[in-house]
Amino acid sequence: MTDTNESGQPDRSARPDRPDRPDRPNRPDQADHADRTDHAEQVDRPDLLGQLDQLSEPDELGGESALSGESGAAGAAEPGGAGAGAEERRVRVVLVDDHRMFRTGVQAEIGQTAQTGVEVVGEAADVDQAVSVITATRPEVVLLDVHLPGGGGVEVLRRCAPLMADAEQPVRFLALSVSDAAEDVIGVIRGGARGYVTKTITGTDLVDSIFRVQDGDAVFSPRLAGFVLDAFASTDAPPVDEDLDRLTQREREVLRLIARGYAYKEIAKQLYISVKTVESHVSAVLRKLQLSNRHELTRWATARRLV
């Protein structure tokens, strides 16, 4: 029976004592939450505010906000690795080659001025065009093919000699050709070109060569420098080969490639001409040299060290 107090309500104090429950520890998630809250209040908030304050303060050297990325010691470097305020190098170039597809390819490779620093200001496909464009644009460097309609690269050099001799704004020439024959290399170097590289050169190396020529350096593809050294070390004039003189520059190119074992299709691709044109050049060479087949052509070219 339940005991009652004077008011008639159940007497709760009369209930038998219940055993004390052991104190329950805080739950792990509660403790972690408390720790995180304390940490955020004591560490995260002051650090974040400190960073914002630091970014909003004027830079000591430049007097501008470091957050704005403007002038000051913390400013970003200019493109090309130069420091802030440094002027990027630029070089103005004219392309001279009688193959439009090759000119287009070179322009696509090196003509991205923002990345390479090279600005292509003109193009030409023959000697007359080359002289006209070079005279009008006055570039720092001309990329010059050796074999051109109208007299070849040597003729361009001869007619542009006054521009090369200009003390204030000289025009410098870098030969860029598929040919690596000694007579071609020596001919344009004697004509005044500052260097000679073959069309197997990479775009990066070509850009580097252009800037070096602009600076007045001499630049050559591997092994071609030896031709120049040998030629200028000798005091004797090279002997005249009447048979070789009968051939045009293009026929000499085809002859060399035939002697090196190239197929007609490979020659056409190398020289940017059709297979039919290669066949016509081979026939002309055989007729002029009074030879019967490509094997005799190979022996003839090897004997004259044209390979």
Side-chain angles (χ1 to χ4, degrees), residues 90-106:
R90 287 285 188 269
V91 58
R92 299 170 68 252
V93 172
V94 165
L95 303 178
V96 180
D97 194 285
D98 59 337
H99 296 105
R100 182 179 57 81
M101 289 181 62
F102 180 76
R103 296 197 310 271
T104 302
V106 172

Side-chain angles (χ1 to χ4, degrees), residues 140-251:
E140 283 90 16
V141 177
V142 177
L143 291 180
L144 179 67
D145 191 12
V146 174
H147 304 133
L148 295 167
V154 173
E155 179 63 15
V156 175
L157 291 165
R158 186 186 69 79
R159 292 169 60 177
C160 290
L163 300 179
M164 289 188 285
D166 189 330
E168 294 184 0
Q169 189 182 351
V171 177
R172 295 188 169 99
F173 288 79
L174 174 61
L176 176 63
S177 177
V178 69
S179 172
D180 59 359
E183 65 266 25
D184 288 337
V185 178
I186 296 167
V188 295
I189 297 303
R190 288 189 184 278
R194 295 296 305 173
Y196 194 116
V197 294
T198 61
K199 291 181 178 179
T200 57
I201 193 171
T202 65
T204 301
D205 288 341
L206 181 57
V207 170
D208 179 66
S209 298
I210 290 170
F211 277 105
R212 289 174 60 191
V213 167
Q214 181 192 26
D215 291 337
D217 294 341
V219 179
F220 295 93
S221 290
R223 99 181 184 88
L224 300 188
F227 296 154
V228 179
L229 292 174
D230 291 344
F232 285 90
S234 174
T235 56
D236 298 330
V240 176
D241 190 324
E242 294 182 358
D243 290 334
L244 188 61
D245 284 347
R246 294 192 186 100
L247 306 180
T248 66
Q249 291 286 355
R250 182 64 79 193
E251 288 168 350

